[in-house]
Amino acid sequence: NRRQFIREMGLVAGAGISAGAFAAESTAAGNLKLYPGKRNPKHNLKVQLTNKAWATGYNNFYEFTTNKELVRHPFYMDKFKVDPWQIQITGLCEKPFKIDTQQLIADMGLEERVYRFRCVEAWSMIVPWSGFTLRKIIERAVPKKQARFVKFTTAMNLKQMPGIARLPAYPWPYTEGLRLDEAMHELTFVATGIYGKPLPKQNGAPIRLVVPWKYGYKSIKSIVKIEFTAKQPKTLWESLAPDEYPFESNVDPKVPHPRWSQATERVLGFNNRIPTLKYNGFGKQVASLYKK
Ligand SMILES: Nc1nc2c(c(=O)[nH]1)N[C@H]1C(S)=C(S)[C@@H](COP(=O)(O)O)O[C@H]1N2
Ligand SMILES: [Mo]
């Protein structure tokens, strides 16, 4: 689409992470007094945090654009309305519910965790997330015995998300999934904030998933629906390319992506590469999930 391309070229002129371009970031609304949650000492990686300008300025959010440095541009973010925002918990559970996200946050309370985050494209970051465990939502919904998976769905609003129409072959809306035991795991986190503040829109405001031992695309943004299912749900990426983006998608340096190696990664803000760790370094906590 030529018009779109010309417009993007215009936007690029002001872009650049280090330039700190664009106006003040646009975040989700939210009770600022809740942020940051208390740092959880059990989930507090003692590593240098990624510069916030990188974590909030280099984003994958294909509903807007595939250009990572432009997602945060007001051209995209100003139209994206994240307040009020309802989230629905449904499917095979005893107590389905629908709730305003700010109410959910007030009910669940916030804690802060520092996790490593590894994109399948072989870049990574280390960021402090504010949020709560997904387990808390699951326990409130009380899954039925037949529930074996959890499916997540991102909002789909063509007027607010111009990237959707530019990728017509994609099976929108963006969906992801986990096994129920993965979803219940202590590490599986629902983030509503980053760096001690409500999520910037480009990071998936007002509510997103963070599954730190899996490739980044499993950490679905701007969630409107969480659904318990009996069968393994189809995800957007798996539908597009099952050999590149399989359902499980645990970080594994020994299993290359069909088009590139996963042995090393570039930490955002640095030029060198470091070795990638199996399960993104969370093996002690999660390896038992995958014992055959
Ligand atoms: N709805 C939605 N969620 C998404 C994506 C997306 O394009 N749309 N991109 C995924 C990918 S590939 C990555 S690496 C992370 C990026 O999260 P970040 O921008 O907060 O770093 O979001 C994931 N969640
Ligand atoms: Mo990614």
Side-chain angles (χ1 to χ4, degrees):
N1 180 319
R2 190 179 154 73
R3 250 176 63 228
Q4 184 57 46
F5 176 73
I6 291 169
R7 208 179 311 154
E8 284 227 332
M9 288 316 286
L11 300 182
V12 168
I17 305 296
S18 46
F22 314 148
E25 77 197 17
S26 173
T27 64
N31 186 347
L32 289 171
K33 272 183 273 176
L34 296 175
Y35 294 86
K38 192 168 175 286
R39 181 79 56 97
N40 184 330
K42 278 189 265 172
H43 303 286
N44 189 19
L45 271 188
K46 298 279 194 319
V47 215
Q48 192 188 340
L49 295 181
T50 296
N51 187 317
K52 186 181 171 185
W54 272 101
T56 62
Y58 188 84
N59 305 101
N60 275 328
F61 205 162
Y62 278 24
E63 284 87 339
F64 296 94
T65 170
T66 55
N67 183 320
K68 295 186 225 305
E69 297 185 27
L70 284 186
V71 178
R72 78 184 191 285
H73 197 287
F75 173 78
Y76 292 110
M77 294 297 101
D78 282 357
K79 281 185 214 98
F80 184 30
K81 301 296 174 222
V82 298
D83 183 52
W85 186 282
Q86 293 255 308
I87 180 165
Q88 185 188 10
I89 321 298
T90 183
L92 296 170
C93 60
E94 304 293 346
K95 297 181 176 168
F97 60 101
K98 196 168 189 183
I99 190 169
D100 179 77
T101 300
Q102 296 310 324
Q103 184 59 49
L104 182 68
I105 292 168
D107 290 357
M108 297 294 173
L110 296 179
E111 59 170 283
E112 188 176 59
R113 296 183 175 198
V114 177
Y115 282 163
R116 233 180 259 107
F117 186 95
R118 170 64 156 77
C119 175
V120 74
E121 297 160 341
W123 55 263
S124 67
M125 58 183 187
I126 293 144
V127 292
W129 303 100
S130 297
F132 45 86
T133 55
L134 177 63
R135 185 188 191 109
K136 284 190 175 181
I137 292 184
I138 296 175
E139 283 173 347
R140 180 149 160 186
V142 191
K144 292 188 173 161
K145 273 208 255 352
Q146 313 92 282
R148 293 193 45 236
F149 295 89
V150 187
K151 177 182 176 183
F152 306 85
T153 307
T154 294
M156 178 171 171
N157 185 320
L158 294 166
K159 286 214 181 92
Q160 297 182 19
M161 299 170 154
I164 291 180
R166 272 185 259 153
L167 295 168
Y170 280 39
W172 304 103
Y174 196 106
T175 50
E176 259 305 336
L178 295 171
R179 292 182 350 207
L180 184 57
D181 60 343
E182 294 174 327
M184 291 285 284
H185 193 276
E186 159 71 12
L187 284 176
T188 306
F189 205 57
V190 174
T192 66
I194 193 171
Y195 296 94
K197 300 243 177 66
L199 279 171
K201 292 177 182 177
Q202 64 270 27
N203 290 95
I207 187 163
R208 58 121 17 115
L209 191 67
V210 179
V211 193
W213 71 97
K214 293 178 180 283
Y215 289 117
Y217 54 87
K218 299 294 289 184
S219 293
I220 182 173
K221 294 176 166 180
S222 303
I223 299 169
V224 291
K225 190 158 83 177
I226 299 178
E227 194 176 351
F228 298 94
T229 67
K231 282 202 281 183
Q232 183 173 304
K234 270 272 178 239
T235 73
L236 176 133
W237 285 111
E238 195 199 6
S239 309
L240 279 170
D243 51 331
E244 301 192 1
Y245 313 106
F247 184 83
E248 188 168 88
S249 288
N250 295 326
V251 174
D252 190 342
K254 293 211 183 97
V255 179
H257 184 277
R259 291 181 280 133
W260 59 84
S261 162
Q262 294 292 21
T264 64
E265 66 201 50
R266 176 176 59 92
V267 183
L268 293 186
F270 297 88
N271 287 323
N272 60 317
R273 302 187 74 86
I274 61 169
T276 286
L277 303 171
K278 179 142 167 117
Y279 299 118
N280 203 22
F282 295 100
K284 252 197 208 133
Q285 291 106 304
V286 301
S288 63
L289 285 171
Y290 307 104
K291 290 238 168 69
K292 301 254 156 62

